Amino acid sequence: MLDDLPRGRRPALAEKYAQRPLWARLWPAVSTRLSRHPLWIKVTRKPLHARVVKYALGSVVAFITGNIAFMLLYVAGTSTTVCSVGGFIAAAIPNWILNRRWAWQRQGRPPARQIVGYIAVSIGVLVATSAATGWTNAQVQSIPNHHGLRLLIVTASYVAVTIALFVVKFAIYEYWVFSERSRVRAAL
């Protein structure tokens, strides 16, 4: 990278590069290596396949952050609605960034359709997870609170709803929220 620059600019850029955190210095090398891997090339050959794979990977990141937040809030003794909202917020932020910028390759200021559509989908998911975890929590009240089984069952209901809505969310994102032209509006 530095060999491609004129000699006078190399030291200043090298200093700036060395001041970046380790993960930021390693990321270009890692992403370049992964993007050249035969399996990555095979699964991302077609644009739709690439979006599905990137959406799935972004959803894994959101899934992990959301579940960690949900479990921590549940262990802290908050209501399942608060747990669902906390898990939702912890998942929605990386999910928006990874979906919009990486999976669908959208840059710049998002149009209103993307913001409103994403918020509408997110509210639907939030309502579904809150209802499912609230119902599940009411059903497991006979299990003593200090056992990990109650946490496991209530978290499993949160996970089940999240997984069930995975494909539905992708379809809405693909055909309406992040599409170049709203195919939903064109069909009406």
Side-chain angles (χ1 to χ4, degrees), residues 24-47:
R25 287 182 278 163
L26 293 177
W27 180 247
V30 171
S31 67
T32 301
R33 185 164 183 192
L34 287 176
S35 67
R36 292 181 184 156
H37 193 278
L39 181 61
W40 181 260
I41 292 170
K42 184 177 181 179
V43 298
T44 60
R45 189 170 295 148
K46 295 181 180 178

Side-chain angles (χ1 to χ4, degrees), residues 159-170:
V159 169
V161 171
T162 304
I163 291 171
L165 294 175
F166 174 81
V167 174
V168 173
K169 287 174 24 180
F170 179 82

Side-chain angles (χ1 to χ4, degrees), residues 146-184:
H146 63 279
H147 293 302
L149 184 58
R150 184 190 274 189
L151 169 68
L152 185 65
I153 293 169
V154 175
T155 303
S157 70
Y158 180 80
V159 169
V161 171
T162 304
I163 291 171
L165 294 175
F166 174 81
V167 174
V168 173
K169 287 174 24 180
F170 179 82
I172 293 170
Y173 293 158
E174 175 70 13
Y175 293 106
W176 181 51
V177 175
F178 295 119
S179 68
E180 291 292 325
R181 192 178 126 233
S182 177
R183 296 177 200 151
V184 173

Side-chain angles (χ1 to χ4, degrees), residues 6-16:
R7 292 244 181 242
R9 293 198 53 204
R10 283 186 192 172
L13 186 59
E15 272 183 34
K16 183 178 178 183

Side-chain angles (χ1 to χ4, degrees), residues 25-104:
R25 287 182 278 163
L26 293 177
W27 180 247
V30 171
S31 67
T32 301
R33 185 164 183 192
L34 287 176
S35 67
R36 292 181 184 156
H37 193 278
L39 181 61
W40 181 260
I41 292 170
K42 184 177 181 179
V43 298
T44 60
R45 189 170 295 148
K46 295 181 180 178
L48 179 62
H49 296 166
R51 282 192 301 275
V52 169
V53 169
K54 291 175 180 179
Y55 169 73
L57 291 173
S59 294
V60 167
V61 170
F63 181 78
I64 290 169
T65 58
N67 281 310
I68 289 171
F70 181 88
M71 287 188 288
L72 290 174
L73 289 169
Y74 191 77
V75 169
T78 61
S79 73
T80 55
T81 302
V82 172
C83 295
S84 293
V85 170
F88 160 77
I89 291 170
I93 294 168
N95 199 25
W96 165 260
I97 294 166
L98 291 171
N99 283 337
R100 186 170 187 277
R101 295 190 179 194
W102 188 42
W104 276 272

